[in-house]
């Protein structure tokens, strides 16, 4: 590809060391124009790849800007697949800007956002799902999101899709072959029982990948936890303990929290998104009622609900909560154990409800509550090889692919013709190709597969 040579500062400001990355066909030549090596005067293009050169960056007046180390990468063995140079200099903002100015004066153009990874994709160094994993890896905030991004970057998801695509392409090719011999109705290259079994197997694999999105999305964006209860039961105090900072205003005045307060924290390597909501109570205050309505909205969005109480709730209140959290994990948090022993008389009968006694004021049993929250999240132990979907785009494509594959299975149940089966199989392959950024299946690829794997009359 005849792209201009690009450059960009690759490190965050404020560090002791700053790195400037250059990529493109002229990367080595342009770097040579501003770099004066110490020792050997060999041009960078003549040096061995994966080596370092020590020297100075100099300006047009031959004045030294900084002492640097230059890393050398020859195409196609670089991150972008192009000739690349990385200049490691001191982290001064002035020095970095001076080096960038000299590079642009000598033929580079500043890189756009994500352009290095875009070139890696365009040059076949990674597929689209791996390119997306780069952004996820950079933004990972905990071990779980790091492991998921690294697994995708290493190609585990891509390899799974490639395997599925190969099986589907083989079946499509056999069905296409039958169409070529349509004047011989007795010929059937694609064994229908084998096709049916394989289609059901792929259907299960696609469904399993799609189901993993619930876990992946929760880990990536934080598992939503709503803290609900009446006014003045200690919701804001509890939120501050869970976040380990004074995020919410704490007051003895009823109705202090009139809108939800939301923030994230990490417990046992898992990110949770806690929401402190307005206290639930009858009120004529218009603003407070709006806050209570938002409380119920956040309750619907939550996966885990902490129901904070400091006295025995009424049967009506219990039934109302049961109805609202029927599809969620509910933890009943009995607060203010520092004030009363009456908690032992609290009686809420429900086999799936978990109960814990705490003092939000003094932090008593907060670690116990945190452990219960982790258990309620029910996140499986993930290994590096586990494939977990975190992208809504991937999830949507998998659902569409699975929907088309279900049509294939239904068509075989009805005994429909091979041309209908082949069309739906092609649609499945196209949806999977959207994930990795591959080209849609072409007639040429189908023909190539036929001639590669099958021999018809030699």
């Amino acid at each position: 590809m005849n792209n201009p040579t690009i450059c960009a500062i690759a490190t965050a400001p404020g560090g002791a060391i700053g790195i400037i990355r250059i990529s493109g066909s002229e990367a080595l030549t342009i770097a040579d124009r501003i770099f004066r090596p110490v020792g050997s005067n060999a041009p960078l293009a003549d040096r061995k790849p994966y080596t370092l050169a020590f020297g100075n960056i100099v300006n047009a007046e031959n004045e030294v800007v900084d002492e640097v180390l230059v890393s050398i990468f020859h195409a196609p063995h670089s991150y972008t697949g192009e000739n690349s140079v990385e200049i490691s200099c001191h982290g001064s903002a002035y020095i970095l800007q001076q080096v960038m100015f000299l590079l642009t004066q000598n033929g580079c153009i500043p890189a756009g956002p994500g352009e290095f990874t875009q070139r890696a994709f365009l040059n076949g160094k990674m597929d689209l799902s791996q390119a997306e994993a780069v952004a996820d890896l950079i933004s990972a905030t905990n071990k779980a999101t790091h492991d998921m991004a690294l697994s995708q970057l290493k190609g585990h998801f891509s390899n799974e899709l490639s395997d599925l695509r190969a099986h589907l392409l083989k079946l499509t090719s056999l069905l296409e072959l039958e169409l070529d011999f349509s004047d011989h109705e007795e010929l059937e290259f694609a064994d229908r029982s084998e096709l049916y079994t394989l289609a059901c197997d792929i259907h299960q694999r696609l469904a399993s990948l799609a189901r993993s999105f619930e876990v992946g999305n929760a880990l990536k964006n934080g598992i939503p936890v709503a803290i609900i209860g009446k006014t003045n039961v200690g919701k804001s105090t509890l939120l501050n303990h869970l976040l380990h900072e004074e995020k919410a205003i704490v007051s003895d005045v009823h109705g202090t929290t009139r809108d939800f307060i939301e923030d994230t924290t990490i417990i046992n390597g898992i990110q949770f998104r806690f929401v402190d909501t307005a206290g639930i109570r009858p009120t004529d205050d218009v603003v407070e009622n709006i806050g209570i309505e938002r409380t119920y909205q956040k309750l619907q969005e939550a996966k885990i609900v902490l129901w904070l109480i400091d006295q025995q709730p009424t049967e009506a209140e219990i039934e109302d909560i049961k109805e609202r959290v029927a599809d969620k994990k509910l933890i009943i948090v009995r607060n203010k154990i520092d004030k009363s022993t009456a908690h032992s008389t609290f009686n809420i009968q429900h086999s799936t409800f978990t109960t814990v006694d705490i003092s939000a004021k003094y932090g008593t049993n907060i670690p116990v509550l945190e452990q219960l929250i982790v258990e309620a999240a029910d996140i499986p132990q993930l290994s590096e090889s586990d494939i977990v979907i975190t992208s809504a785009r991937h999830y949507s494509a998998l659902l569409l692919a699975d929907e088309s594959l279900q049509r294939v299975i239904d068509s075989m149940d009805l005994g429909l013709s091979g041309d209908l089966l082949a069309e739906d199989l092609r649609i499945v392959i196209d949806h999977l190709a959207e994930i990795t950024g591959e080209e849609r299946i072409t007639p040429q690829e189908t023909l190539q597969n036929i001639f590669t794997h099958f021999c018809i009359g030699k």
Side-chain angles (χ1 to χ4, degrees), residues 171-230:
L171 294 174
T172 304
S173 301
L174 286 169
L175 290 169
E176 294 280 2
L177 200 56
E178 287 183 6
L179 298 178
D180 289 341
F181 288 85
S182 57
D183 53 334
H184 298 277
E185 295 183 1
E186 72 283 358
L187 286 177
E188 189 176 87
F189 294 103
D191 181 272
R192 291 301 186 269
S193 62
E194 180 184 349
L195 174 58
Y196 189 87
T197 300
L198 185 57
C200 289
D201 176 61
I202 295 175
H203 166 66
Q204 292 298 323
R205 290 165 72 178
L206 289 177
S208 177
L209 288 171
R211 283 195 300 271
S212 74
F213 177 69
E214 181 180 357
V215 172
N217 187 54
L219 290 174
K220 183 177 180 180
N221 298 309
I223 298 169
V225 183
I227 305 173
I228 66 168
K230 293 182 177 180

Side-chain angles (χ1 to χ4, degrees), residues 6-224:
I6 55 175
C7 63
I9 300 172
T11 48
I17 302 297
I19 296 176
I20 292 175
R21 174 181 282 179
I22 313 167
S23 182
S25 58
E26 299 297 313
L28 298 168
T29 303
I30 293 173
D32 263 329
R33 293 172 187 161
I34 66 169
F35 176 64
R36 298 293 179 268
V38 173
S40 171
N41 290 320
L44 294 177
D46 294 341
R47 296 172 183 254
K48 292 182 179 179
Y50 310 121
T51 59
L52 296 174
F54 173 70
N56 298 309
I57 297 295
V58 297
N59 60 22
E61 289 73 36
N62 213 31
E63 297 171 338
V64 174
V65 175
D66 195 19
E67 286 186 342
V68 300
L69 283 174
V70 173
S71 307
I72 304 162
F73 305 90
H74 291 178
H77 306 295
S78 69
Y79 177 77
T80 60
E82 303 172 327
N83 286 338
S84 296
V85 171
E86 290 184 359
I87 301 174
S88 299
C89 52
H90 292 95
S92 158
Y94 172 77
I95 291 174
L96 291 168
Q97 291 303 325
Q98 284 296 302
V99 176
M100 284 290 294
F101 173 75
L102 292 172
L103 288 171
T104 55
Q105 286 291 99
N106 282 276
C108 280
I109 65 169
E115 189 170 356
F116 288 93
T117 301
Q118 181 185 38
R119 291 194 177 196
F121 165 68
L122 295 174
N123 291 326
K125 300 297 290 186
M126 58 179 69
D127 64 31
L128 192 56
S129 71
Q130 290 173 296
E132 290 170 307
V134 174
D136 287 344
L137 191 62
I138 292 170
S139 62
T141 57
N142 56 69
K143 186 178 187 302
T145 52
H146 168 270
D147 289 349
M148 290 188 299
L150 194 60
S151 173
Q152 188 170 318
L153 182 60
K154 289 185 175 181
H156 295 151
F157 182 34
S158 302
N159 293 339
E160 174 74 1
L161 294 180
S162 178
D163 183 59
L164 294 177
R165 190 179 191 276
H167 283 95
L168 290 166
L169 181 58
K170 178 180 177 182
L171 294 174
T172 304
S173 301
L174 286 169
L175 290 169
E176 294 280 2
L177 200 56
E178 287 183 6
L179 298 178
D180 289 341
F181 288 85
S182 57
D183 53 334
H184 298 277
E185 295 183 1
E186 72 283 358
L187 286 177
E188 189 176 87
F189 294 103
D191 181 272
R192 291 301 186 269
S193 62
E194 180 184 349
L195 174 58
Y196 189 87
T197 300
L198 185 57
C200 289
D201 176 61
I202 295 175
H203 166 66
Q204 292 298 323
R205 290 165 72 178
L206 289 177
S208 177
L209 288 171
R211 283 195 300 271
S212 74
F213 177 69
E214 181 180 357
V215 172
N217 187 54
L219 290 174
K220 183 177 180 180
N221 298 309
I223 298 169

